[in-house]
Amino acid sequence: LIGDVMLDRFHHGYANNLDSTAPVPVLKIIRSEETPGAAAHIAMGLNSLGLSVSLHCCVGDDREGKIIIEKLSDDGIDTSGVGVVPGRNTLTKIRFYGSRESLLDKSQILLQADRGPHEELTENMSVSLTASAMASLSDSCAIVLSDYDKGVLTTDGALSLIKTAGDAEIPVIMDPKLTGLEKSRGADAVLFEIRGLGLLQRRLMASDQAEAAKSLIETYEWGAMLVLGGVHGVTLYQADGEMMHLPCSAVAPPIQQIGLHDAAATALAAALGNGHSMTDAATLAAAACECVLSAEASHEFVNRTTLGVWLDELAWQLQISDR
């Protein structure tokens, strides 16, 4: 598992009043939470599902970076592959949730603020992280590349990892930025959001999303493309032309959507790394996404217990519907 990490910070409270000088809500913070995000979030999910995780990433030498390392260590995840960059700010996403005191179950996000590094990650650090990830491939059943375009994954580094993994028949799961699709060339499974595919559909002047997906798969030589649609479900497009749509059975509207990519990447790595088919992996990813959609904001990541309960519920629904 290699890629960018961040700290997710959540503030929850009441927003009963407006500021007297501006039309903005005044949030009375009741509680705050912090959790590792991005690749670190995936590491926690994989660890909970029983996989031994070799994580390669970097943080700053600030409080936020120390919290990420501490929380990963507390979960029993090896942090020896986490580089610490002196003087660097760790990427932190701060989200403010508010509700009226009389509507405690109707909390909604009021504001997101991002705090991150002001300088580019040095090439030496990127090369070092790629080399350490490369060294761990021989003992791996899958590799996940989580790219937030913060410098850990360079194009050359990502492509070299994908090629080496492919030669060793190790499945590659890639969560790329739309602006960095070249880094994902040759990956076995690539994650997309439905909005991102819609944007590329217009750029490609494709007649529909299926045509756009086919074009992207051919251009970047992907094995499959998993499109996350939130309450609209998950759609799998494969290089052989097969398509499978998995409708969402989670409650609507969703309480939150933060962490869908991490949940899907976790499920794909767990399934493909254990030798399951791409369709089975996509089905598990869909269930993982539904766990996130149904969770209380900031309270859930995809772990063994949560995913197991959700799969039991899906199995029961299928049984009583005689499908």
Side-chain angles (χ1 to χ4, degrees):
L1 171 59
I2 179 172
D4 302 297
V5 299
M6 66 181 69
L7 184 70
D8 285 323
R9 180 177 295 144
F10 305 92
H11 297 296
H12 300 266
Y14 303 135
N16 295 330
N17 304 306
L18 289 178
D19 191 290
S20 59
T21 59
V24 295
V26 178
L27 180 66
K28 179 182 179 182
I29 296 176
I30 304 301
R31 58 184 172 85
S32 299
E33 300 161 348
E34 294 176 316
T35 183
H41 196 227
I42 297 172
M44 293 172 66
L46 291 171
N47 179 67
S48 177
L49 293 179
L51 278 77
S52 177
V53 184
S54 177
L55 174 62
H56 307 274
C57 63
C58 69
V59 297
D61 61 350
D62 52 3
R63 173 185 174 275
E64 287 76 10
K66 293 175 182 176
I67 290 174
I68 290 174
I69 293 175
E70 288 174 0
K71 287 185 177 290
L72 290 173
S73 296
D74 289 345
D75 263 24
I77 297 170
D78 181 10
T79 59
S80 61
V82 181
V84 179
V85 183
R88 184 176 176 84
N89 291 330
T90 302
L91 177 60
T92 306
K93 288 189 177 292
I94 309 164
R95 300 177 179 93
F96 298 87
Y97 287 87
S99 68
R100 291 187 178 276
E101 291 185 65
S102 58
L103 297 171
L104 295 181
D105 62 337
K106 299 295 182 181
S107 179
Q108 67 184 64
I109 190 166
L110 303 177
L111 175 69
Q112 176 174 310
D114 291 355
R115 171 186 177 272
H118 302 296
E119 66 288 328
E120 298 291 330
L121 191 65
T122 64
E123 183 178 351
N124 287 342
M125 178 57 77
S126 300
V127 170
S128 174
L129 292 171
T130 299
S132 62
M134 189 76 74
S136 71
L137 273 178
S138 60
D139 298 324
S140 300
C141 64
I143 179 170
V144 180
L145 298 90
S146 178
D147 185 27
Y148 281 75
D149 197 27
K150 299 302 178 183
V152 169
L153 283 167
T154 64
T155 300
D156 289 343
L159 293 180
S160 64
L161 286 167
I162 291 172
K163 184 180 185 307
T164 302
D167 291 343
E169 298 184 347
I170 298 171
V172 179
I173 297 93
M174 178 77 178
D175 186 5
K177 295 281 285 185
L178 287 182
T179 54
L181 294 182
E182 184 58 37
K183 297 178 186 178
S184 65
R185 182 177 295 275
D188 293 291
V190 175
L191 291 170
F192 256 74
E193 275 191 24
I194 194 169
R195 292 176 299 176
L197 181 56
L199 174 63
L200 291 182
Q201 176 191 338
R202 293 190 292 273
R203 289 182 182 176
L204 295 169
M205 294 186 288
S207 60
D208 55 25
Q209 293 196 350
E211 182 181 338
K214 181 176 183 295
S215 175
L216 290 166
I217 289 172
E218 292 176 351
T219 299
Y220 294 103
E221 303 170 14
W222 298 332
M225 178 178 177
L226 191 69
V227 181
L228 312 180
V231 294
H232 301 292
V234 168
T235 304
L236 174 68
Y237 300 95
Q238 298 195 70
D240 60 7
E242 291 292 318
M243 185 189 82
M244 178 178 72
H245 178 70
L246 296 155
C248 179
S249 61
V251 294
I255 298 173
Q256 67 153 351
Q257 297 196 55
I258 298 169
L260 282 181
H261 282 241
D262 299 344
T266 298
L268 287 176
L272 295 176
N274 278 288
H276 292 283
S277 68
M278 188 64 71
T279 53
D280 282 349
T283 304
L284 189 65
C289 287
E290 292 179 5
C291 289
V292 172
L293 291 170
S294 300
E296 184 180 347
S298 79
H299 276 200
E300 200 78 82
F301 72 96
V302 173
N303 58 33
R304 191 181 190 92
T305 301
T306 305
L307 193 53
V309 169
W310 193 264
L311 290 173
D312 287 343
E313 175 65 23
L314 288 179
W316 173 249
Q317 290 178 11
L318 292 175
Q319 182 179 342
I320 62 174
S321 64
D322 200 30
R323 287 184 288 147

